[in-house]
Amino acid sequence: MRTPIIAGNWKMHKTVAEARALALAVVEGLEPDRRVEVILAPPYTALSATAEAAAGSEVEVAAQDMYWADSGAFTGAVSPPMVAELASHVIVGHSERRHVFGDTDDDVNRKAHAAHSHELIPIICIGETEVERDAGRTDEVIVGQLAAALQGLAASEVRSSVIAYEPVWAIGTGRACDPGEAARVIGLIRNWLEAEQDAEAAVSIRILYGGSVKPSNIAEYLNHLDVDGALVGGASLEAATFLPLVACARDVVAESGERRGS
Ligand code: PGA
């Protein structure tokens, strides 16, 4: 059985004080015994405050990115050991990193390796642009990004990674991907893992959907058994919209848990 994940990516939002308040609101608002993994990804400056607010709770903390080198003359960058002091997870390959900051498939792969070397779980984001989708290249792009990101990882590292399928055109646009289509692409990812990695990875890895997820549409995604949760931007910025996502995931587990991952 795969435990669903609801991860909030706060992007370039929240000062330290705002992050602390939101993290505390999430921690205090979560119902116990929820069988859902909850991850908060604040900006670097608020990692420490978020980790303090989450201490003693089941809420986990992620960085939104990192550089792969352990240390050195890399002005503005943050290293895996720095992140590992404060977080359990790190997002790598988010489309904003790829398209605004120029991260390549090779960068994403280096970051995935660096994460595992420092016992951080990478949340590896992949997704096609609108141009690629319109050209009928979605599956090829997804498989290409996936193969590049996982290149050279040990089987155990692949299994413990988290994948997020985030169609670029659905991020922050309010144009969420059709849930059936998101589930189809996630199924494609699982089939590729089974064919090219190992059957255990295909069964055990968590694959999330991301792109304009909100309380009113999340159930449509989670009802597909291949979809193991959501990576959420806009709707993660307030406890009032984030907590219902976790509650929905809990309800879906309660209803379909025994079939998940079988
Ligand atoms: P969104 O962002 O929920 O605001 O579309 C998703 C993401 O970037 O992970």
Side-chain angles (χ1 to χ4, degrees):
M1 158 141 176
R2 299 188 295 268
T3 304
I5 294 174
I6 302 295
N9 174 9
W10 298 350
K11 306 193 178 182
M12 200 173 73
H13 297 282
K14 307 295 176 186
T15 62
V16 171
E18 290 165 349
R20 184 181 292 115
L22 176 54
L24 283 173
V26 169
V27 166
E28 284 160 14
L30 284 175
E31 295 179 35
D33 182 30
R34 59 186 187 280
R35 293 191 292 167
V36 177
E37 223 176 304
V38 177
I39 304 173
L40 303 178
Y44 293 131
T45 46
L47 271 175
S48 189
T50 304
E52 275 166 31
S57 79
E58 287 170 35
V59 172
E60 296 165 301
V61 177
Q64 297 173 14
D65 187 41
M66 66 182 183
Y67 195 55
W68 60 77
D70 279 3
S71 63
F74 302 108
T75 299
V78 168
S79 76
M82 295 170 187
V83 169
E85 263 188 336
L86 300 167
S88 52
H89 294 66
V90 58
I91 299 171
V92 299
H94 189 277
S95 76
E96 286 143 23
R97 294 303 316 175
R98 292 179 189 261
H99 297 288
V100 181
F101 298 101
D103 280 17
T104 63
D105 279 340
D106 186 51
D107 294 328
V108 177
N109 179 245
R110 285 170 181 255
K111 291 176 182 185
H113 277 278
H116 283 295
S117 301
H118 292 274
E119 284 171 21
L120 286 161
I121 295 173
I123 302 172
I124 301 168
C125 301
I126 56 177
E128 81 288 355
T129 63
E130 186 156 32
V131 170
E132 289 163 341
R133 172 162 286 269
D134 289 348
R137 296 186 50 225
T138 297
D139 295 8
E140 168 202 335
V141 168
I142 292 305
V143 165
Q145 289 181 352
L146 186 62
L150 302 181
Q151 176 73 35
L153 290 183
S156 60
E157 293 174 337
V158 173
R159 278 177 222 148
S160 64
S161 298
V162 175
I163 308 284
Y165 168 55
E166 299 209 301
V168 178
W169 48 271
I171 295 178
T173 59
R175 288 173 53 208
C177 182
D178 173 73
E181 172 60 6
R184 184 194 71 79
V185 176
I186 287 175
L188 170 87
I189 294 168
R190 243 181 246 296
N191 290 342
W192 182 89
L193 288 167
E194 185 169 11
E196 303 294 330
Q197 300 281 329
D198 68 343
E200 197 180 324
V203 171
S204 61
I205 199 167
R206 264 87 58 84
I207 310 179
L208 317 181
Y209 166 73
S212 299
V213 171
K214 44 191 184 227
S216 59
N217 66 12
I218 189 166
E220 297 172 49
Y221 296 98
L222 299 183
N223 282 332
H224 290 275
L225 295 183
D226 265 340
V227 183
D228 298 320
L231 179 55
V232 185
S236 73
L237 295 176
E238 304 291 338
T241 45
F242 186 69
L243 289 170
L245 304 176
V246 181
C248 178
R250 191 191 56 235
D251 292 348
V252 171
V253 176
E255 285 162 22
S256 66
E258 72 281 1
R259 289 186 291 149
R260 200 169 267 277
S262 61

